[in-house]
Amino acid sequence: MFRFFGKKKELTLLEAISSMLSSDSLERAALRCADWRDLIEVAASETPKYSARQFASKVAGLIGITFQERVEPADLSLLEAGIGIKDLLRMAVIPVTSDARVTALVCVDPSRLKNLPSAYVGLPRRLALWSSIQVALEESERLHRRRTARNSSRTVSSLHEAVRSILGML
């Protein structure tokens, strides 16, 4: 983190990575990287010194957040209105959910989370590899769809029961 006039400025992902690689290595990584969300893994391949996870951990330290190696699926029903799976995929972020609330955000680049609803401002942020976040988001969506389908099925069954009761009274 840098200090400007007494305020801390959070490094972006690109700034942190550029401080770890030579300009030639950074340029090669940028040219090979088709999706910004993969930048950590692509940049890590430019240095034999670190594995992708070690590189990500170093980047997280430079940004001033912790690295989260294992990313768990989230309860998507706890998301604020207006935020959906497409938004999470686009921003490369997944909420950490616990005790029926969002307690933290795990992302590839915290500087890209500026347009989140105010409920997420101030939550702890952690860094993870896009491959880990993507798998957890896919599993989160699958679990959410299963829960939604199960709840819909219960609602339909309850309605059928109510209709049978009413018809039985007639």
Side-chain angles (χ1 to χ4, degrees), residues 74-140:
D75 182 351
L76 298 181
S77 68
L78 300 175
L79 293 176
E80 289 290 309
I83 295 287
I85 190 74
K86 287 181 182 178
D87 300 305
L88 299 177
L89 289 165
R90 181 178 43 79
M91 291 185 282
V93 62
I94 186 168
V96 175
T97 55
S98 176
D99 299 325
R101 62 188 187 96
V102 175
T103 58
L105 299 170
V106 178
C107 61
V108 171
D109 184 358
S111 69
R112 292 185 177 252
L113 305 181
K114 291 181 171 86
N115 295 325
L116 287 173
S118 60
Y120 300 122
V121 174
L123 285 176
R125 293 168 187 210
R126 303 174 192 148
L127 187 121
L129 296 172
W130 169 236
S131 55
S132 300
I133 293 171
Q134 186 177 26
V135 167
L137 281 172
E138 288 168 357
E139 180 65 11
S140 299

Side-chain angles (χ1 to χ4, degrees), residues 52-73:
R53 288 185 180 349
Q54 291 169 325
F55 191 82
S57 181
K58 298 277 186 194
V59 167
L62 289 170
I63 292 173
I65 60 178
T66 59
F67 172 67
Q68 184 162 327
E69 188 163 341
R70 183 166 166 74
V71 181
E72 298 292 332

Side-chain angles (χ1 to χ4, degrees), residues 38-57:
D38 294 320
L39 185 58
I40 295 171
E41 286 146 315
V42 174
S45 71
E46 288 294 323
T47 175
K49 202 178 197 181
Y50 304 111
S51 70
R53 288 185 180 349
Q54 291 169 325
F55 191 82
S57 181

